[in-house]
Amino acid sequence: MGWSVEEECRDEKPNISASQLLTPKSEAGTDKRREQRVKLPTNYRKACKYAQLAVEEKRDINALLDQDRHFRTGRSIVGRVLCNLPKIDAIYTKLELATKEPGLRPWLARVLISELLYGSGRLVGSALPVECVRKYAEQLRALKAEIEQNFTVEFAETERQEEVDDPYTIPLHSRQAAFAILWLLVYSFAMFTLPFGAFYGTRHVLADRFQIEGFHNTCGSVLAAVLTVNIIIMLYAFRGFREVEEEDLPRFVRINTTQLSKADAKALLAKEQWFEVEEKFDSYREFLERVKTLGDKEYIEDFHFPDMLVFPNSAKQYWGKAVHLRDRFILQNKACLLPTYLLRPGKKSVVLDMCAAPGLKTTHLAALMKNKGRIYAVEHNANRYALLTQMVGAYGVIKTLHSDCLKVSDEQVPGVEYILLDPSCSGSGMLQRQFEKDEVDQHRLYKLGGVQYKLLSHAMNAYPNARRIVYSTCSIHTIENEEVVQGVLRHNGHFRLLDARKELGREWLNVGSPNFPGIGERCLYARTEDDLTIGMFVAVFERCPEGVVNETYTAYERQKDSYERLALIQRKHPALQEINEEDWRPEAPFAGKRKVTKTERTEHVPVKTEPIAKKRKSSQTVEQDEEDDEEDVKPFKGVSVKQEEQEEEEEDVKPFVVVKQEEQDEEGEDVKPFVKKSKKKDKSKKCRKGVSQ
């Protein structure tokens, strides 16, 4: 006899003796069979090993997967096996594959069934174990449809049974009304008890400790009771306002397109008794108004993102129990999809997620890339890194790195083209923090902004192949958003800021602050009051073409040059300290031309003035001979020495202005002041002539 099918369906290194392998045939025939044997693909073999370790030995395989550098695409195979293990076991048992193929290892069969039904839909290679499973492909697909239908029915029956058994499980609106009445009773009880306690307690304290009796005692007691009543009313109103705000927000659910298509997802939801609202909207505001009126069993496709479905707030109870759908549908806020969609990496791209935990954006990037290419997910915190590895374990395209992203070099993540930076922030856009209205810690915001600036600058300069960077925070403070963007653009001319609304391609309501011209209008904000999701800020950067720098960098460098020139001039001429610094802005109409102050003019007057004593003598002589030379000495008549000095100083300034203009223009066109200067000398000569006479 030759090789049996059962022996061929074992692993490539079956644990059997040589006597079992050999047959009565010649040894030459056996050697020929060994040469013709096809090896099992490495991904299937390793996936079988890791899945068995995870289930039977209860071991954490994430560390083992990280250490195995040669096991890449097979990681997604392990994740699919573990996610769909109950269904795979049901199919394996119902097909009686263990009986039909006793030589096929159970865990290898599970891996091959998972890849055929929940993976790529085909098996690679022609090894005998692969051929064994491949011949049952049609039966496996039929059993898959039957098993999934049974799982859906069983889940619905379980849910209905829980609703029957649980006396508190009533329709959501009735339950909300019941809890509202309960809280009303609580506040009513407080309203009729606490004010009396405050009244009599205050009366007792005023009488015993402060010896206040009569009318003053009564006034103090009544005031205490009234304050207590007002406090209770304010608490009740605040609670009601908060509940209304939280309950108005819808539930966003993302389809895991690596597991099923959008059409399959909608068909599955129809089996779950959900009804799609198939309306089309021309305006984003119309879509938001329709979302607010969704029924308890309705859902609608999102206005911007096709793989995002919007459910009413009442659906949170359903999604909390839908364990069988958690690998296919992911609960994620709409705002969290803005950064990934704006990054837009193509298939087989190389992406770096610098602050990846918990991994929701990372897994969405993998879905957008069709699970092809490479995504490096970096996380520094140990606890968050453990959460990240658990989240992305089923995606073979994602490689996790437990490191500080500032220390990750281009050699560790070669060929990075797209970078997503969603760093730690104040979280002021999260719903809970928006409702609590805590006091803003400016010092903490300042430190966070510094760290964010450092991370974004590192992303722009450490990876020479990076083409696009998306920066996002779940904060609504400009110190973490627009100011960080402005800072990196001023100091990194090789990246420019894109218009995020144009990149998104559809209508969006909120942009950045108008206090940052050229920056605010190009960034996006998600606002809870408008977009019905958490608050988030997003900015998109792109590497500039060769020889081009961004406008913010150019303007800032020009401003720095002007300030440097001003500082140099002020060091040489202290009198220029009086110049207003606003006159040195690069956008000023006289940019590049220096304004001359009056103090500067008087200090650098080139015209020589006569001594004061000589002026006095000339004035006295002119008074004696005013009849002889009345026309020449008329300006000096009745004028004091001090006024004369001021007039001469004003006349002396005029030639200086013309000289300064001639030096700047180098044309020498205007010479009129010098004519006046010569006339003045002629007048002085006439005065001296009259004195001599």
Side-chain angles (χ1 to χ4, degrees):
M1 295 176 61
W3 290 87
S4 65
V5 176
E6 290 82 0
E7 291 170 346
E8 286 289 349
C9 291
R10 296 184 185 273
D11 198 359
E12 63 176 1
K13 294 182 179 180
N15 188 17
I16 55 177
S17 62
S19 59
Q20 293 175 315
L21 294 174
L22 296 178
T23 62
K25 293 184 177 182
S26 62
E27 294 182 0
T30 304
D31 294 339
K32 186 177 180 180
R33 290 280 187 177
R34 288 177 179 173
E35 291 177 1
Q36 294 178 352
R37 184 182 179 188
V38 180
K39 290 185 177 181
L40 186 71
T42 304
N43 285 337
Y44 295 157
R45 178 168 50 83
K46 290 192 173 184
C48 172
K49 177 181 116 176
Y50 289 124
Q52 188 174 1
L53 289 174
V55 176
E56 294 184 355
E57 300 184 15
K58 306 295 182 183
R59 292 178 60 180
D60 184 7
I61 63 173
N62 290 321
L64 299 175
L65 292 173
D66 292 336
Q67 295 173 4
D68 195 343
R69 297 182 179 179
H70 302 287
F71 188 53
R72 293 184 178 180
T73 58
R75 301 184 188 199
S76 58
I77 302 176
V78 177
R80 282 193 287 268
V81 172
L82 298 179
C83 290
N84 300 285
L85 190 58
K87 299 176 185 177
I88 294 173
D89 286 341
I91 294 172
Y92 180 80
T93 304
K94 198 158 188 177
L95 187 60
E96 298 180 351
L97 200 58
T99 305
K100 296 178 180 179
E101 303 292 343
L104 185 63
R105 293 177 58 190
W107 279 106
L108 181 57
R110 290 184 177 96
V111 169
L112 297 175
I113 292 172
S114 173
E115 186 66 10
L116 182 64
L117 300 181
Y118 301 100
S120 60
R122 60 186 182 88
L123 297 177
V124 179
S126 58
L128 286 178
V130 174
E131 295 294 340
C132 289
V133 176
R134 189 177 287 158
K135 67 183 180 181
Y136 296 103
E138 296 299 328
Q139 300 180 41
L140 290 170
R141 290 190 178 96
L143 288 173
K144 174 192 173 185
E146 182 181 347
I147 293 296
E148 286 185 348
Q149 185 176 3
N150 292 338
F151 263 73
T152 303
V153 172
E154 289 175 4
F155 174 78
E157 291 179 353
T158 304
E159 190 175 18
R160 284 196 297 269
Q161 184 65 29
E162 290 179 357
E163 292 178 356
V164 172
D165 295 340
D166 188 0
Y168 296 100
T169 305
I170 55 180
L172 183 65
H173 62 277
S174 301
R175 191 184 320 154
Q176 292 174 345
F179 277 108
I181 294 173
L182 179 62
W183 278 109
L184 181 61
L185 292 175
V186 170
Y187 281 102
S188 299
F189 178 78
M191 184 71 75
F192 286 101
T193 55
L194 296 182
F196 286 101
F199 179 84
Y200 288 104
T202 305
R203 169 178 264 184
H204 175 73
V205 170
L206 292 177
D208 290 353
R209 293 192 176 182
F210 301 98
Q211 288 77 39
I212 299 176
E213 299 289 348
F215 177 75
H216 297 289
N217 187 303
T218 304
C219 290
S221 303
V222 171
L223 180 61
V226 171
L227 289 176
T228 305
V229 170
N230 289 330
I231 291 173
I232 295 172
I233 294 174
M234 290 174 60
L235 291 174
Y236 185 75
F238 176 75
R239 177 179 174 80
F241 172 78
R242 181 174 176 179
E243 286 180 350
V244 169
E245 289 290 332
E246 291 179 348
E247 290 174 2
D248 284 344
L249 300 180
R251 307 295 293 183
F252 294 96
V253 180
R254 175 169 64 87
I255 302 172
N256 187 1
T257 53
T258 61
Q259 295 287 335
L260 76 168
S261 64
K262 185 172 69 172
D264 294 338
K266 292 182 178 180
L268 185 57
L269 290 172
K271 294 180 181 179
E272 298 284 329
Q273 305 301 316
W274 286 100
F275 304 99
E276 181 185 7
V277 177
E278 299 181 354
E279 298 180 23
K280 301 299 180 181
F281 303 93
D282 298 329
S283 169
Y284 183 36
R285 294 188 183 275
E286 294 178 2
F287 169 79
L288 293 172
E289 292 300 324
R290 183 64 182 90
V291 168
K292 295 177 182 178
T293 60
L294 284 175
D296 287 344
K297 298 299 292 184
E298 291 181 337
Y299 75 94
I300 190 171
E301 185 179 318
D302 186 67
F303 184 80
H304 297 96
F305 311 127
D307 56 348
M308 174 68 76
L309 304 179
V310 188
F311 291 79
N313 185 270
S314 58
K316 60 184 178 182
Q317 178 189 3
Y318 168 81
W319 289 108
K321 295 182 178 180
V323 182
H324 65 297
L325 299 178
R326 287 183 182 175
D327 59 322
R328 303 178 184 184
F329 297 91
I330 299 173
L331 300 178
Q332 188 174 6
N333 276 293
K334 176 181 178 177
C336 297
L337 267 64
L338 276 173
T340 52
Y341 263 103
L342 290 172
L343 190 62
R344 281 190 315 202
K347 294 181 182 178
K348 300 182 180 179
S349 301
V350 182
V351 181
L352 173 62
D353 191 351
M354 295 182 65
C355 303
L360 290 174
K361 297 183 183 68
T362 314
T363 56
H364 187 231
L365 286 173
L368 294 177
M369 295 167 59
K370 307 299 182 184
N371 211 19
K372 296 180 180 179
R374 170 60 66 199
I375 299 176
Y376 296 101
V378 184
E379 181 55 47
H380 183 50
N381 183 273
N383 295 330
R384 291 173 60 83
Y385 178 75
L387 182 62
L388 172 66
T389 54
Q390 182 180 358
M391 176 69 70
V392 305
Y395 298 83
V397 70
I398 301 174
K399 180 179 180 181
T400 57
L401 297 174
H402 187 197
S403 175
D404 184 356
C405 57
L406 289 174
K407 298 180 181 178
V408 176
S409 62
D410 186 57
E411 291 75 15
Q412 295 176 272
V413 288
V416 168
E417 302 170 286
Y418 300 89
I419 300 176
L420 174 61
L421 176 59
D422 187 37
S424 298
C425 63
S426 62
S428 55
M430 304 303 291
L431 298 180
Q432 183 178 2
R433 297 187 181 180
Q434 290 188 53
F435 294 135
E436 289 178 354
K437 302 294 183 184
D438 293 336
E439 185 178 356
V440 178
D441 188 350
Q442 292 293 339
H443 181 65
R444 180 171 179 266
L445 291 180
Y446 179 79
K447 292 195 296 183
L448 286 170
V451 173
Q452 292 154 359
Y453 167 83
K454 192 173 182 180
L455 290 171
L456 189 51
S457 297
H458 178 76
M460 290 183 173
N461 295 285
Y463 309 103
N465 296 322
R467 294 187 293 174
R468 176 171 289 210
I469 301 174
V470 172
Y471 171 73
S472 63
T473 67
C474 53
S475 172
I476 57 176
H477 297 304
T478 58
I479 193 172
E480 299 178 87
N481 301 331
E482 289 93 338
E483 292 186 25
V484 173
V485 172
Q486 185 183 59
V488 295
L489 288 176
R490 283 179 171 179
H491 300 95
N492 297 276
H494 57 294
F495 272 88
R496 59 186 176 186
L497 183 66
L498 300 180
D499 191 333
R501 277 197 293 189
K502 292 182 180 179
E503 296 297 318
L504 186 62
R506 300 209 69 178
E507 178 188 1
W508 193 263
L509 300 179
N510 297 295
V511 294
S513 172
N515 296 329
F516 299 86
I519 294 176
E521 64 270 16
R522 299 183 183 183
C523 302
L524 294 186
Y525 267 102
R527 304 282 187 183
T528 303
E529 59 272 17
D530 293 330
D531 303 297
L532 306 179
T533 182
I534 65 172
M536 180 163 282
F537 170 85
V538 185
V540 185
F541 301 91
E542 184 180 62
R543 186 179 291 275
C544 296
E546 186 176 355
V548 178
V549 295
N550 68 67
E551 300 172 357
T552 306
Y553 178 84
T554 304
Y556 184 66
E557 289 297 316
R558 188 163 58 244
Q559 187 180 36
K560 283 201 308 183
D561 293 341
S562 65
Y563 275 112
E564 289 174 359
R565 292 197 303 269
L566 175 61
L568 180 62
I569 294 172
Q570 287 178 345
R571 283 197 298 269
K572 292 182 178 180
H573 309 290
L576 292 179
Q577 298 289 347
E578 299 179 7
I579 298 178
N580 189 355
E581 292 187 356
E582 293 183 358
D583 296 335
W584 294 84
R585 293 174 298 171
E587 62 269 19
F590 46 80
K593 297 182 179 181
R594 203 160 51 87
K595 292 183 70 177
V596 183
T597 61
K598 185 175 180 179
T599 55
E600 182 185 5
R601 296 170 190 158
T602 56
E603 186 177 354
H604 297 82
V605 174
V607 181
K608 294 182 180 181
T609 58
E610 296 180 359
I612 297 176
K614 190 174 181 180
K615 292 178 182 177
R616 291 178 179 176
K617 186 176 180 181
S618 299
S619 62
Q620 293 174 0
T621 307
V622 170
E623 290 177 356
Q624 293 176 2
D625 299 335
E626 60 181 330
E627 294 180 356
D628 299 336
D629 202 0
E630 182 179 358
E631 184 177 358
D632 292 336
V633 299
K634 191 175 182 179
F636 299 92
K637 185 177 181 179
V639 179
S640 64
V641 176
K642 187 175 181 179
Q643 292 177 349
E644 182 181 354
E645 290 175 0
Q646 291 178 357
E647 291 177 357
E648 287 187 4
E649 285 178 359
E650 291 177 358
E651 291 179 355
D652 291 338
V653 170
K654 295 179 182 178
F656 172 74
V657 176
V658 178
V659 171
K660 297 294 289 185
Q661 292 177 354
E662 287 180 347
E663 291 176 356
Q664 290 178 1
D665 300 336
E666 296 182 0
E667 294 179 358
E669 297 179 355
D670 193 354
V671 296
K672 293 181 180 180
F674 293 97
V675 176
K676 291 182 180 180
K677 183 178 177 182
S678 61
K679 289 182 179 180
K680 183 178 178 183
K681 289 183 178 179
D682 294 341
K683 289 183 179 181
S684 61
K685 287 180 180 179
K686 289 182 180 180
C687 293
R688 287 196 295 270
K689 185 178 180 181
V691 172
S692 62
Q693 290 177 357

